[in-house]
Amino acid sequence: MGIVNRLSQQLSGTIDAAVNGGVKEYIKAFLQSDYIDMHPQDEKTLVEFRIALKNQMQLLEKGLSVFGENCGEKLRPLHSHLVQSHQQVSMQIRKSIEKFLIQRKAKKSTSQVRPNSPSV
């Protein structure tokens, strides 16, 4: 099996995972505000996880570029599908992270307000 075929398998398995849902399942499991509410001790790890997801998406984008330059006409439809899937997953990750950060900021600001503090 050639290097282009191995690269296509790696990209497919990561971007468009048919088994266990891939990155989309990580988003559902760990980037929902419910998770951090139930596991506040994991907040630092979740920050690292968000950074790792962003880095992974950037690496996959580079891999797709290399694949696109070398795949030939026979694999062009697969490349197009993977590019589209990558864009969808990247957008989903960005939106999930933004929503997560907004929710965390709102919860932190409301928890800092003291109900019994005197009004000025």
Side-chain angles (χ1 to χ4, degrees), residues 65-95:
S65 177
V66 170
F67 180 52
E69 292 168 5
N70 297 285
C71 68
E73 288 305 311
K74 184 177 178 184
L75 294 175
R76 186 68 51 204
L78 175 60
H79 177 259
S80 296
H81 170 74
L82 290 175
V83 167
Q84 183 179 7
S85 294
H86 177 267
Q87 290 171 343
Q88 290 172 347
V89 171
S90 292
M91 184 178 294
Q92 189 177 16
I93 288 171
R94 276 194 302 275
K95 286 181 178 181

Side-chain angles (χ1 to χ4, degrees), residues 23-89:
V23 174
K24 294 174 187 176
E25 292 302 313
Y26 292 136
I27 294 168
K28 285 186 212 173
F30 301 112
L31 294 180
Q32 304 297 324
S33 64
D34 298 358
Y35 180 87
I36 193 63
D37 289 342
M38 295 172 61
H39 305 279
Q41 72 279 5
D42 293 344
E43 189 163 6
K44 182 178 182 244
T45 302
L46 289 176
V47 168
E48 294 168 0
F49 178 64
R50 291 191 304 266
I51 292 167
L53 277 177
K54 285 182 180 181
N55 290 339
Q56 181 185 37
M57 290 297 111
Q58 291 171 349
L59 288 171
L60 290 169
E61 189 171 334
K62 289 177 184 176
L64 283 169
S65 177
V66 170
F67 180 52
E69 292 168 5
N70 297 285
C71 68
E73 288 305 311
K74 184 177 178 184
L75 294 175
R76 186 68 51 204
L78 175 60
H79 177 259
S80 296
H81 170 74
L82 290 175
V83 167
Q84 183 179 7
S85 294
H86 177 267
Q87 290 171 343
Q88 290 172 347
V89 171

